[in-house]
């Protein structure tokens, strides 16, 4: 199971200078085994290394040795199989990743010792260590280069059907393999690593639908950053509404949190989350009668408004019921602090009477500035926010009947918003912000911190 943590400090994938601002956001960490498993699956289990080594042909081996020191030649030596491959990963501070592949290579060819020709099988242990560095970041993509590829040979076992094999043949084969195998294997590893880079970048550079509201086109925001403790990937994304318009947000880099027990760190900045919330929270104006069927505190709100209506307002009286219209004002704004997430949202509350034989009479137009507590969780690879009312600030925008003091309406309006607006907000946010399947690692068993 992959352990994941989300933090309230946005990480980035390159070094910050002291003057760069550290922005708020979310980041997540994945355990060391998860990333090693991903690379092992991509390179070994999926057969990519075997595929590119298949048909590897070695130079002919010529030398003196064998039976009675007869001339020895080994020709047509080629790779038959890669046995028991194993992969390990170590982080190199400021450089990248050190990848080590250990395997047994089964080689086969023709051996001519004197006048005796027969098949020869060679089993050689190899240990390939390559330092992988990311470079040339552009438009969300990076190139990888291999530095200091080292290929070390271990035990060599040689088998001839006749069994006529001298120590000198062993020495000839070992010397020749030591001289030629690194030059053959390191270029293959370079090809494989670049193919895996393209494959894994595809998991980051992904376009994901967000319900029916639009899409998020994820990408890397900067070069991956490595310390001796973790590999950091700074994620950003173009948040696009249906129809093609992009919701703008600040894409400045920000700082990574120190995570001592994790290997891979991912991050989303606060400004990106704001753009995603703006995409999700698109609720049309809601109009309903001020009745107990609409919300339980309707009668109390009507009584409180009736007290505020001037006595001389004849058009305010009558049998026509009060109606309420709720309209979102501006975009939501998420604020991330340590262990705390808050969404600020403004709502216009219009209380009016529509007479059957006359125009609409606006008793009140109120602006409610809400501070909504946000509970952040992960579900099905999506970042989900659940909102609850934290604070309400109420102000009067206008009144056609001369109402000027609305302080006593605050608790009633808060109840109104909790009963009618919050379910709509949480319903809109319930589909969650879809996250890319980064490196193919499933985001499960998530432990979230802000």
């Amino acid at each position: 199971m992959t352990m994941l943590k989300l933090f309230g400090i946005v990480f980035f994938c390159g070094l910050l200078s002291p003057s760069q601002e550290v922005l708020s956001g979310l980041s997540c960490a994945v355990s060391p085994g998860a990333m090693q498993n991903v690379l092992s699956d991509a390179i070994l289990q999926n057969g990519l290394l075997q595929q590119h080594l298949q048909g590897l042909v070695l130079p002919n081996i010529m030398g003196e040795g064998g039976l009675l020191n007869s001339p020895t030649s080994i020709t047509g030596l080629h790779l038959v199989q890669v046995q028991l491959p194993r992969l390990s990963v170590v982080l190199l501070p400021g450089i990248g990743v050190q990848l080590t592949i250990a395997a047994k290579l089964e080689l086969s060819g023709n051996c001519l010792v004197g006048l005796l020709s027969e098949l020869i099988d060679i089993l050689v242990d190899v240990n390939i260590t390559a330092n992988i560095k990311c470079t040339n970041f552009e438009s969300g993509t990076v190139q990888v280069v291999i530095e200091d590829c080292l290929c070390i040979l271990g035990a060599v076992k040689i088998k001839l059907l006749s069994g006529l094999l001298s120590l000198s043949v062993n020495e000839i084969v070992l010397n020749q393999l030591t001289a030629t195998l690194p030059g053959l294997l390191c270029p293959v590893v370079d090809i494989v690593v670049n193919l895996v880079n393209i494959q894994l970048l595809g998991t980051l550079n992904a376009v994901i639908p967000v319900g029916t509201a639009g899409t998020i086109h994820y990408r890397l925001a900067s070069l991956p950053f490595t310390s001796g403790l973790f590999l950091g990937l700074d994620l950003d994304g173009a948040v696009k509404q249906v129809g093609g318009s992009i919701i703008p947000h600040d894409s400045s880099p920000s700082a990574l949190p120190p995570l001592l027990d994790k290997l891979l760190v991912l991050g989303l900045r606060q400004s990106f989350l704001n753009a995603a919330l703006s995409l999700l929270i698109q609720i049309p104006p809601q109009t309903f009668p001020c009745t107990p069927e609409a919300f339980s505190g309707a009668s109390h709100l009507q009584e409180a408004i009736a007290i505020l209506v001037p006595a001389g307002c004849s058009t305010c009286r009558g049998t026509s019921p009060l109606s309420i219209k709720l309209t979102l004002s501006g975009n939501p704004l998420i604020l991330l602090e340590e262990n705390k997430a808050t969404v600020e949202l403004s709502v216009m509350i219009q209380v009016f009477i529509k007479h059957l034989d006359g125009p609409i009479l606006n008793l009140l137009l109120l602006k409610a500035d809400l501070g909504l507590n946000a509970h952040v969780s992960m579900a099905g690879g999506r970042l989900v926010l659940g909102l609850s009312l934290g604070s309400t600030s109420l102000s009067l925008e206008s009144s056609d009947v001369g109402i000027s003091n609305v302080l006593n309406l605050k608790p009633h309006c808060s109840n109104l918003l909790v009963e009618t607006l919050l379910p709509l907000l949480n319903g809109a946010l319930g589909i969650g912000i879809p996250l890319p399947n980064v490196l193919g690692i499933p985001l499960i068993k998530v432990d979230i911190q802000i």
Side-chain angles (χ1 to χ4, degrees):
M1 300 288 264
T2 299
M3 296 300 294
L4 178 112
K5 292 185 179 179
L6 296 175
F7 290 82
I9 303 174
V10 175
F11 71 84
F12 75 116
C13 300
L15 291 175
L16 281 176
S17 68
S19 62
Q20 283 182 283
E21 181 182 5
V22 178
L23 305 177
S24 295
L26 293 174
S27 64
C28 58
V30 180
S31 61
M35 193 168 75
Q36 185 160 306
N37 290 342
V38 165
L39 292 175
S40 181
D41 286 345
I43 295 174
L44 303 182
Q45 305 306 320
N46 293 340
L48 191 62
L49 181 64
Q50 174 81 33
Q51 174 188 341
H52 283 82
L53 285 175
Q54 198 70 38
L56 183 70
V57 177
L58 282 74
N60 294 337
I61 299 175
M62 312 296 291
E64 296 293 329
L67 188 63
L68 301 176
N69 290 321
S70 301
T72 302
S73 65
I74 300 175
T75 59
L77 194 60
H78 62 280
L79 180 75
V80 176
Q81 187 180 9
V82 180
Q83 297 182 7
L84 305 173
R86 302 182 308 279
L87 179 146
S88 60
V89 175
V90 176
L91 293 176
L92 302 175
I95 299 175
V97 174
Q98 184 178 83
L99 184 70
T100 300
I101 300 174
K104 293 179 180 293
L105 301 185
E106 182 183 344
L107 308 171
S108 184
N110 298 308
C111 181
L112 178 65
V113 180
L115 299 177
L116 180 64
S117 177
E118 57 182 314
L119 293 177
I120 185 172
D121 293 320
I122 302 172
L123 191 64
V124 55
D125 291 343
V126 295
N127 195 289
I128 308 167
T129 300
N131 296 341
I132 303 172
K133 182 179 181 180
C134 293
T135 185
N136 296 336
F137 174 81
E138 184 179 355
S139 302
T141 63
V142 297
Q143 291 180 335
V144 293
V145 294
I146 289 184
E147 299 180 339
D148 303 324
C149 179
L150 180 64
C151 180
I152 299 176
L153 271 60
V156 178
K157 296 181 180 179
I158 303 174
K159 180 182 178 182
L160 286 171
L161 292 179
S162 66
L164 298 176
L165 189 67
S166 70
L167 292 177
S168 57
V169 171
N170 261 315
E171 185 177 353
I172 292 170
V173 170
L174 180 59
N175 290 339
Q176 185 69 15
L177 293 182
T178 302
T180 58
L181 267 182
L184 296 173
L185 295 180
C186 283
V188 171
V189 172
D190 183 67
I191 292 171
V192 168
V193 166
N194 274 279
L195 289 173
V196 170
N197 176 57
I198 294 171
Q199 173 186 332
L200 296 183
L201 275 179
T203 68
L204 299 171
N205 188 16
V207 178
I208 306 177
V210 185
T212 58
T215 60
I216 296 176
H217 184 180
Y218 281 101
R219 60 182 179 273
L220 276 177
S222 57
L223 273 174
F225 167 74
T226 55
S227 73
L229 303 174
F230 60 81
L231 167 66
L233 301 176
D234 187 8
L235 295 184
D236 196 13
V239 182
K240 186 178 293 187
Q241 296 175 314
V242 170
S245 59
I246 293 178
I247 301 174
H249 68 276
D250 181 14
S251 295
S252 302
S254 49
L256 283 166
L259 299 172
L260 302 181
D261 59 340
K262 303 298 174 183
L263 186 62
L264 175 64
V265 181
L266 312 175
L268 294 171
R269 57 180 56 86
Q270 177 176 278
S271 57
F272 166 80
L273 296 174
N274 278 322
L277 284 187
S278 297
L279 181 64
L280 288 173
I281 299 178
Q282 298 186 31
I283 299 173
Q286 304 290 310
T287 303
F288 47 87
C290 184
T291 62
E293 290 77 17
F295 67 103
S296 61
S299 57
H300 296 294
L301 178 60
Q302 289 199 74
E303 291 170 4
I305 293 176
I307 295 173
L308 299 177
V309 173
C313 180
S314 59
T315 57
C316 303
R317 316 293 183 221
T319 57
S320 299
L322 294 182
S323 294
I324 297 174
K325 183 178 182 180
L326 302 179
T327 307
L328 299 187
S329 177
N331 292 321
L333 179 66
I334 188 169
L335 301 176
L336 298 177
E337 306 170 65
E338 187 173 358
N339 299 320
K340 183 180 180 181
T342 305
V343 173
E344 294 184 350
L345 185 65
S346 295
V347 184
M348 305 304 295
I349 305 174
Q350 181 185 10
V351 182
F352 63 94
I353 297 174
K354 188 175 189 321
H355 297 291
L356 294 177
D357 54 352
I360 291 176
L361 178 66
N362 288 314
L363 298 183
L364 291 168
L365 181 61
L366 305 170
K367 183 181 181 183
D369 294 318
L370 308 181
L372 304 169
N373 299 321
H375 172 72
V376 185
S377 61
M378 286 288 300
R382 294 171 178 261
L383 192 67
V384 180
L385 273 67
L387 304 179
S388 61
L389 185 62
S391 64
T392 306
S393 176
L394 201 64
S395 60
L396 176 65
E397 295 289 304
S398 64
S399 171
D400 290 349
V401 298
I403 296 175
S404 59
N405 187 351
V406 295
L407 280 178
N408 292 335
L409 296 181
K410 181 177 176 179
H412 305 297
C413 289
S414 295
N415 291 336
L416 163 70
L417 295 171
V418 167
E419 290 190 43
T420 59
L421 182 63
L422 271 182
L424 295 174
L425 292 174
N426 285 321
L429 293 173
I431 66 171
I433 301 170
L435 300 177
N437 188 21
V438 177
L439 307 185
I441 299 174
L443 303 180
I444 57 177
K445 293 293 289 183
V446 178
D447 175 27
I448 295 178
Q449 293 179 334
I450 300 174

